[in-house]
Amino acid sequence: MNVMDIFETMEYGPAPEAASTVQSWLQEHQQFRLFIGNRWVEPASGKYMESTNPATNKALVQVASANSDDVDAAVSAARKAFKTWSKTPDHVRARYLYALARTIQKHARFLSVLESLDNGKSIRETRDIDIPLVARHFYYHAGWAQLMGRELSGYEPLGVVGQIIPWNFPLLMLAWKIAPAIAMGNTVVLKPARYTPLTALKFAEIIQEAGLPAGVINIVTGEASQVGDALVKHPDVNKIAFTGSTDVGRSIRRATAGSGKKLSLELGGKSPFIVFDDADLDSVVEGVVDAIWFNQGQVCCAGSRLLVQENIAERLFSKLRARMEKLRLGDPLDKAIDIGAIVSPAQLQEITRLVAQGEAEGAEKWQPSWACPTEGSFFPPTLFTNVTPASTIAQIEIFGPVLVAMTFRTPAEAVELANNTRYGLAASIWSENINLALDIAPKVKAGSVWINCTNVFDASSGFGGYRESGFGREGGKEGLYEYIRPAWSGSKSVSKARQPQVASEEREESTLSEVNPPAIDRTPKLFIGGKQARPDSGYSLRVIGANGSLIGEVGEGNRKDIRNAVEAAHAASKWASGTTHNRAQILYYIAENMAAREDEFARRIAQQTGCGHVEAVKEVQASLSRLFSYAAWADKFEGTIHRPPMRGVVLAMHEQIGVIGMACPDEYPLLGFVSLVAPAIAMGNTVVVIPSPKAPLSATDCYQIFETSDVPAGVINIVTGERDALSKVLAEHDDVEACWYFGSEEGSRMVEHASAGNMKRTWVNYGAQRDWLSPLQGEGEEFLRASIQVKNIWVPYGE
Ligand code: NDP
C-alpha cells in the first residue's frame, strides 16, 4: 500500500511494536524452572509444559510443571523467610516494595510486550493500563508497609500466603496479590495461571534485581490439579487468596473449611451497564467499548449486560453497531488494534458455544461485517438484542467480547434487572442526572459502581464482590485486612473464658427464690418478625442451671423457624436505609431498658453459668457498655473518599451485608449475644440469632426489651435450639448473606463448608474462646468490619 492508497481509503497502516528483545529473552531461556528461595530449581517431576501465543497458537517457551513436592519446598522456603521478613522494620519493607515498583517501571515496555505475547491482549492495553497499574500497586503498598506500625498497630501478619491467579490480567493480578501480602509482612507462594506464566517469571528476575530476601516470594508454575490443589490443602499455609471462576472458588471454600486458613475470593461477574435516557449516548458508546471489548471481554467486572431505557434503545443500538463496525481486531502487538486474541482455543470454544446457545434461545445476534484473522484464537465483538432476563446468555458469565442487551422502563425496573444475577462484582450507571445516578448506586448490589465511566481501577480503591462474586477486597486500606489479624488472636493464651463455678450460697439463694414459688409460666417462644412465635416443632428444650436444676424451658427451633426468621429479616431490610442516628438512638434505648432490669439480668446469668452475683453484674454492665459503644459507632464507622489519579473522587461506602445469621458463644450468655447483635444492627444489617443453647435465657429475656425499645419488627430474630443443627440451616440458606459462628471446632468447619453454596461470608471461631469482657477481644473494628462490605462508587467530574 502506498501513500496515495492510504489517502484514498483512510485505512490504518500496520503499527507493530518491536518484540525482538522479548523474543531473544525467551530464546535464551527456552525452559523456565521454578523460582523458590530466590533460586531457579528443576521441578521434582522433571516435567515442563508449553506456554503459547494466542495470536498464533504457536509455542513461545516451556515452563516447569511442578507437583506437590515443589509446593512443599516453596512453602518451606516461605516459612523460613517469614521468620525474618515479618520482623523486618516497616521502613525496610517499604524500601523493598519501592525497589520493586521502580524496577517494574524500568522494564515496563518489556513487560507490556511479553504480556501481549503470552495473553493475546493488545499492546495498547498492556502498555497503558496493565503495567502502569502494576507499578502503582507496588508504590501504593510501599506506603502501607511504611505506615503499618502506626496505622495498623495491634495487628500482625498471617504467615505464609498461597496465591492463585488467573490468566486475564496475569501481572496485574500478581501485583494485586503480592504487594499487600508482603507489605504486611507475609511471605508468598504464587501460582500463575497455566496459560500465562511468563510475566510472573520475568517478575522473578525483577525480585532478584531488586534484591528481595530469599523466600519472601516464590513462584511455582504448573497444573491446577497439582500446584493449585497442593497449595490449597497445604497445612503450613495460613491464607489462600484466589481470583478465578466461581466454581473453583466454591471448591476452594469447601477444601479450606475448618482448616483455619484465611480466605479471600475474587470470582466471576455479570455486571450491569445501565443507561438512562438522559445519558450522553456518544460517551455511552465509548463506555461500552471499554466495558465489554476491553481485554476481549475477558474481565471479571466486564459490563456484559447492557440495560437500556426503552425509549432510547434503538438509537443506542444503531450507534453501537456503527462503532463496532469500526473496531479493529488483530495482532495484539499492533499499536492500532482495539481487540486482541482470546487467551486459548478452549476459551474460544466456550465463547462460541455460549453464543450459539444464545441464538438457539431466540436472541438476535449482530456482528460486524469484517472477518477475524484465521490464524490464532479470535472472536468478533458481538451484540445480542431481544434477550430475555432468564436466558443463558443473560445469566452465565461468557468471558468473551459478547454484549447482551435488555431494556427497562423505570429506574426501579433497572435496579431489579441489574440485581437479577447471582453475582455482584461491579456496575456502571450512565445518566447526566447525578441525583438519579447516586440514588441508583447504593441500590445495585455490587462492590464497585462506576458512574459515567467503567473499568477504572486504582490501588487506593478496594475491589471485590458481593454475593457469588466472592468476598474480601483487594486494594485500599480494606484490602490490607485480608493479610493481617489482631495480634492477640495469634497468642497461645487467647481465652480468659469463664469456667462455671461450684455453687455458692449466694447463687443458690438467688436460684431458689426463682424456682421455689409456684411461678407463672414464662416459657419464652421464638422471636420472629417482632412477635413471639411458637416453634414449628411444638417441642420445648429444658434449660438446666449451673447447679443442675431446671431453670426454664425454651422453644426448640427447626429449619422452618429459621426460614421464617430469614424471611422476616429480609422484610425488615428498610433498616439499612434509615439514618445512622436513628440506629444509634435505638441501641441507646435498648441499653436504657436493659439497665432498668440490671439485677434481673444478673441473676439470670448467675443461674445459668454458676458465676457469682458480682461477676454477673459485671457481665450486664459490660453488655450495657457494649451497646453504648455500637450506638457511638453507628454514625462514626463510616467510609472514606479516595482521590485516585483521575479527575474525580471515589466514595468508599460502608454498606450493610444484609441478613446475618449468628450463633452465640456459651461463655457469656448475655455479653456474647449483645457483642454479636449490636455491631451487626448498628451497621444496618438484620439478624437471625441462635442464642447459646446452654444458656439461652439471657437472650430470650431481651424480647420485651426489643419490643419496648423501638426495634423494628424483623431486625432482630431469635431462634432457640441446637446450635449446630440451626447453624447448618443458616449456612445453607441462599438468602442469608453472612454466617457468624461461635461454637465448636467441628461446627466451624461445618459452617464454612456449608456456606459455599451462595459463597456467603463466614466468621467462625474454630472452637477457640475469646475474652468477651475485654474490649480488645470483645468489641471494635473486627466486629464492625465483619458487619459491612465496602462499595466503591467512582464519580468522575469535569466536562
Ligand atoms: P479457573 O478458575 O479454573 O482458574 C483460575 C486459577 O485457578 C488458575 O491459576 C487455575 O490454574 C487455578 N485453579 C483451577 N482449578 C483449581 C483448583 N481446583 N484448585 C486450585 N487452583 C485451581 O479459571 P479458568 O482459567 O479455567 O477460566 C474458566 C472461567 O473462569 C472463565 O471462562 C471465566 O468465566 C472465569 N474466570 C474468571 C476470572 C476472574 O477474574 N474472576 C479469571 C479467569 C477466569 P490453571 O490455570 O493451571 O488451570
Side-chain angles (χ1 to χ4, degrees):
M1 191 182 275
N2 63 32
V3 176
M4 272 316 289
D5 292 337
I6 292 171
F7 273 119
E8 278 299 317
T9 60
M10 290 305 279
E11 271 294 315
Y12 284 91
E17 172 77 27
S20 51
T21 313
V22 172
Q23 294 287 12
S24 11
W25 178 78
L26 291 172
Q27 253 160 25
E28 262 169 46
H29 284 82
Q30 299 286 342
Q31 278 193 333
F32 282 92
R33 287 168 290 168
L34 305 170
F35 186 71
I36 298 177
N38 277 17
R39 289 186 316 115
W40 293 98
V41 298
E42 282 288 336
S45 64
K47 287 191 191 149
Y48 285 80
M49 54 192 194
E50 273 178 356
S51 194
T52 55
N53 176 353
T56 59
N57 286 334
K58 295 204 174 102
L60 286 167
V61 76
Q62 290 204 321
V63 301
S65 182
N67 65 19
S68 59
D69 292 340
D70 302 305
V71 172
D72 279 345
V75 171
S76 103
R79 176 61 61 196
K80 192 163 160 224
F82 180 70
K83 288 197 187 88
T84 39
W85 184 249
S86 58
K87 309 236 162 22
T88 302
D90 290 350
H91 176 62
V92 177
R93 290 199 320 283
R95 282 203 189 197
Y96 280 118
L97 274 117
Y98 184 79
L100 286 172
R102 299 289 285 191
T103 317
I104 287 161
Q105 279 186 319
K106 279 190 264 177
H107 296 289
R109 203 61 167 216
F110 185 104
L111 290 165
S112 307
V113 173
L114 182 61
E115 195 78 301
S116 285
L117 276 176
D118 200 23
N119 167 279
K121 59 171 72 190
S122 74
I123 184 76
R124 213 161 48 84
E125 288 178 12
T126 56
R127 184 196 59 197
D128 299 345
I129 299 171
D130 292 53
I131 308 306
L133 281 174
V134 169
R136 161 90 178 131
H137 224 74
F138 280 98
Y139 280 127
Y140 177 80
H141 285 93
W144 278 123
Q146 175 77 20
L147 298 177
M148 183 179 177
R150 181 183 300 239
E151 292 289 317
L152 293 157
S153 77
Y155 286 91
E156 62 182 18
L158 301 171
V160 175
V161 178
Q163 305 188 315
I164 300 172
I165 55 171
W167 42 259
N168 54 345
F169 292 90
L171 194 63
L172 185 56
M173 288 302 105
L174 173 150
W176 279 25
K177 296 275 180 294
I178 288 181
I182 64 170
M184 294 296 102
N186 302 279
T187 54
V188 167
V189 178
L190 177 116
K191 178 207 163 327
R194 68 185 181 287
Y195 295 141
T196 54
L198 299 186
T199 43
L201 296 166
K202 175 66 188 171
F203 182 75
E205 292 187 354
I206 288 174
I207 291 171
Q208 290 176 313
E209 205 176 321
L212 220 69
V216 173
I217 301 170
N218 305 277
I219 294 174
V220 182
T221 51
E223 299 282 341
S225 58
Q226 294 286 324
V227 181
D229 192 59
L231 208 45
V232 166
K233 294 185 181 148
H234 203 290
D236 203 24
V237 167
N238 303 92
K239 179 201 161 91
I240 294 289
F242 170 81
T243 298
S245 61
T246 294
D247 286 346
V248 173
R250 190 173 283 121
S251 78
I252 292 178
R253 165 70 292 179
R254 291 192 175 121
T256 55
S259 65
K261 284 191 183 78
K262 202 165 171 152
L263 182 62
S264 50
L265 299 173
E266 200 266 273
L267 309 174
K270 192 78 185 173
S271 298
F273 186 106
I274 310 168
V275 185
F276 288 100
D277 61 4
D278 63 353
D280 168 359
L281 289 196
D282 292 322
S283 302
V284 167
V285 169
E286 292 315 306
V288 171
V289 171
D290 289 340
I292 188 66
W293 294 308
F294 168 54
N295 201 17
Q296 297 69 252
Q298 303 166 128
V299 184
C300 49
C301 52
S304 51
R305 284 185 301 144
L306 174 62
L307 311 180
V308 200
Q309 203 149 15
E310 196 177 79
N311 52 332
I312 53 154
E314 278 314 316
R315 201 146 54 91
L316 178 59
F317 295 156
S318 75
K319 274 177 183 278
L320 259 180
R321 290 185 191 113
R323 181 70 177 90
M324 288 165 75
E325 195 62 42
K326 293 202 157 45
L327 286 170
R328 303 192 73 239
L329 178 149
D331 177 7
L333 285 181
D334 185 332
K335 283 174 266 194
I337 280 298
D338 299 306
I339 301 179
I342 301 296
V343 74
S344 68
Q347 185 66 16
L348 179 62
Q349 207 177 347
E350 181 62 4
I351 297 168
T352 312
R353 183 185 73 77
L354 284 164
V355 165
Q357 184 153 351
E359 286 183 280
E361 288 179 17
E364 265 167 46
K365 184 181 84 172
W366 193 89
Q367 290 172 333
S369 61
W370 43 260
C372 287
T374 46
E375 192 194 25
S377 300
F378 291 92
F379 197 88
T382 302
L383 169 67
F384 271 112
T385 51
N386 196 26
V387 177
T388 54
S391 61
T392 308
I393 53 170
Q395 291 295 329
I396 300 282
E397 181 178 44
I398 299 175
F399 229 63
V402 182
L403 180 64
V404 167
M406 286 167 276
T407 60
F408 64 86
R409 288 187 182 164
T410 62
E413 213 177 291
V415 170
E416 210 165 302
L417 263 181
N419 289 337
N420 178 25
T421 166
R422 62 194 176 113
Y423 297 114
L425 199 50
S428 277
I429 301 171
W430 294 74
S431 165
E432 290 299 287
N433 178 350
I434 190 71
N435 298 340
L436 174 66
L438 287 176
D439 181 47
I440 299 296
K443 294 178 181 162
V444 178
K445 293 206 181 342
S448 294
V449 178
W450 293 297
I451 292 177
N452 292 330
C453 59
T454 195
N455 275 342
V456 272
F457 311 96
D458 183 56
S460 67
S461 304
F463 183 85
Y466 284 27
R467 299 169 154 185
E468 291 185 40
S469 292
F471 44 77
R473 292 290 182 271
E474 297 189 291
K477 190 176 183 188
E478 63 264 38
L480 304 177
Y481 292 102
E482 303 298 332
Y483 291 100
I484 50 179
R485 62 182 176 189
W488 65 261
S489 65
S491 72
K492 293 264 181 305
S493 55
V494 166
S495 162
K496 277 178 57 192
R498 177 165 54 201
Q499 297 303 322
Q501 293 175 358
V502 182
S504 71
E505 267 175 33
E506 174 200 20
R507 183 187 33 83
E508 270 172 3
E509 201 181 301
S510 66
T511 51
L512 282 176
S513 65
E514 286 248 334
V515 174
N516 281 347
I520 302 170
D521 182 61
R522 266 186 64 197
T523 302
K525 304 186 185 86
L526 312 178
F527 190 64
I528 296 177
K531 293 202 183 76
Q532 297 202 36
R534 280 184 207 292
D536 169 72
S537 69
Y539 284 99
S540 297
L541 294 170
R542 292 151 62 85
V543 183
I544 306 297
N547 67 354
S549 66
L550 177 71
I551 55 171
E553 286 183 302
V554 292
E556 183 176 7
N558 67 12
R559 171 176 292 272
K560 216 164 168 191
D561 300 310
I562 291 282
R563 221 169 50 203
N564 293 341
V566 171
E567 215 169 281
H570 268 287
S573 61
K574 275 215 166 71
W575 176 247
S577 48
T579 64
T580 51
H581 172 74
N582 182 49
R583 279 185 235 143
Q585 289 297 305
I586 288 174
L587 282 157
Y588 283 129
Y589 203 1
I590 296 173
E592 186 185 322
N593 285 326
M594 190 179 281
R597 288 168 53 187
E598 182 177 306
D599 195 51
E600 181 197 331
F601 270 97
R603 271 186 289 129
R604 189 65 106 183
I605 290 167
Q607 238 187 347
Q608 296 177 108
T609 65
C611 72
H613 188 70
V614 174
E615 208 183 314
V617 167
K618 221 161 114 190
E619 179 173 343
V620 181
Q621 284 176 350
S623 305
L624 295 173
S625 163
R626 206 135 288 172
L627 286 163
F628 261 60
S629 291
Y630 291 111
W633 265 311
D635 57 5
K636 292 173 195 67
F637 189 66
E638 291 180 313
T640 184
I641 295 178
H642 299 301
R643 297 291 310 273
M646 70 167 203
R647 288 184 72 203
V649 289
V650 178
L651 316 176
M653 312 270 289
H654 283 183
E655 276 196 355
Q656 77 289 349
I657 291 173
V659 174
I660 303 183
M662 44 180 70
C664 301
D666 287 329
E667 304 94 90
Y668 288 86
L670 181 65
L671 184 59
F673 170 77
V674 167
S675 301
L676 297 182
V677 172
I681 66 168
M683 294 297 108
N685 301 283
T686 57
V687 295
V688 176
V689 194
I690 307 162
S692 152
K694 272 197 194 151
L697 299 176
S698 296
T700 60
D701 284 348
C702 289
Y703 293 174
Q704 282 102 354
I705 289 186
F706 297 145
E707 281 164 350
T708 53
S709 305
D710 289 350
V711 179
V715 170
I716 303 171
N717 305 277
I718 299 173
V719 180
T720 47
E722 217 269 296
R723 184 194 283 120
D724 285 9
L726 296 177
S727 293
K728 184 155 191 284
V729 182
L730 279 171
E732 284 171 347
H733 200 302
D734 277 348
D735 266 342
V736 172
E737 278 92 8
C739 220
W740 300 356
Y741 176 91
F742 289 81
S744 65
E745 195 176 352
E746 179 45 31
S748 299
R749 196 203 73 82
M750 175 275 294
V751 165
E752 287 192 335
H753 195 269
S755 69
N758 70 342
M759 302 304 299
K760 56 177 71 66
R761 285 150 189 72
T762 55
W763 183 24
V764 303
N765 69 338
Y766 303 110
Q769 296 181 342
R770 63 172 68 206
D771 181 1
W772 292 94
L773 277 175
S774 140
L776 181 68
Q777 297 186 20
E779 72 174 40
E781 255 197 82
E782 192 187 2
F783 292 77
L784 291 161
R785 275 202 325 279
S787 305
I788 56 117
Q789 47 196 340
V790 180
K791 171 181 275 180
N792 280 284
I793 303 177
W794 293 67
V795 190
Y797 47 64
E799 276 298 304

